[in-house]
Amino acid sequence: MSETERRVLLGRIVGAFGVRGELKLESFTEPKAAIFRYQPWTLRDAQGRERALQGARGRETPKGVVMTLPEVADRDVAEALRGTEVWVPRSALPPPKDGEYYWIDLEGLRVVNADGIEFGRVSHLFSTGANDVLVVQGERERMIPFLMPDYVVSIDFDAGLVVVDWDPDF
């Protein structure tokens, strides 16, 4: 993977599972076990060290996703991986369905309202549980509910533009 290719965080190791080196994995994919389709992975530990990994296997259980890694054979090694993030290149993911978007694809797009007033650029998105929120950085930070077509009117990747129905004073 080239250093300039964007990567997507797909999961995080949250601890050991049992005594044979299995790990508990928090997966951000739907379904949860789909994370295993997008290998090789880049594992990033808490200190920012990265390494490539191929061959992870796993399954969904009532207690979450449980996985095995090729070089992990005991609980101590598994526990040492707690907090390690699982990253993949954006290009490894399938194209989104119509009307769906990968958050990473929205980051950096210009945001203007329906009157053409420039708000800035998409910094990131986050979920509140009720809906997702678009965070726009410009002369000030704005948080706009990502609800189409109520607040997010259109997204044009070719123009690098998101049009929103949002009061500039809010």
Side-chain angles (χ1 to χ4, degrees), residues 75 119 170:
R75 183 176 181 83
F119 285 175
F170 192 68

Side-chain angles (χ1 to χ4, degrees), residues 39-114:
Q39 295 186 53
W41 292 347
T42 298
L43 299 181
R44 181 186 298 161
D45 68 18
Q47 289 75 37
R49 296 179 299 238
E50 295 183 351
R51 64 186 170 101
L53 179 111
Q54 179 84 30
R57 295 184 11 220
R59 65 194 185 282
E60 276 192 77
T61 72
K63 294 186 177 191
V65 178
V66 175
M67 73 171 180
T68 58
L69 298 179
E71 74 277 3
V72 179
D74 68 55
R75 183 176 181 83
D76 291 336
V77 174
E79 192 58 43
L81 291 170
R82 180 187 296 267
T84 298
E85 297 173 335
V86 176
W87 292 81
V88 299
R90 166 60 182 90
S91 61
L93 301 176
K97 297 175 185 167
D98 283 344
E100 294 183 356
Y101 306 94
Y102 288 116
W103 288 3
I104 194 166
D105 295 340
L106 298 170
E107 292 173 3
L109 296 182
R110 285 182 34 244
V111 179
V112 300
N113 75 357

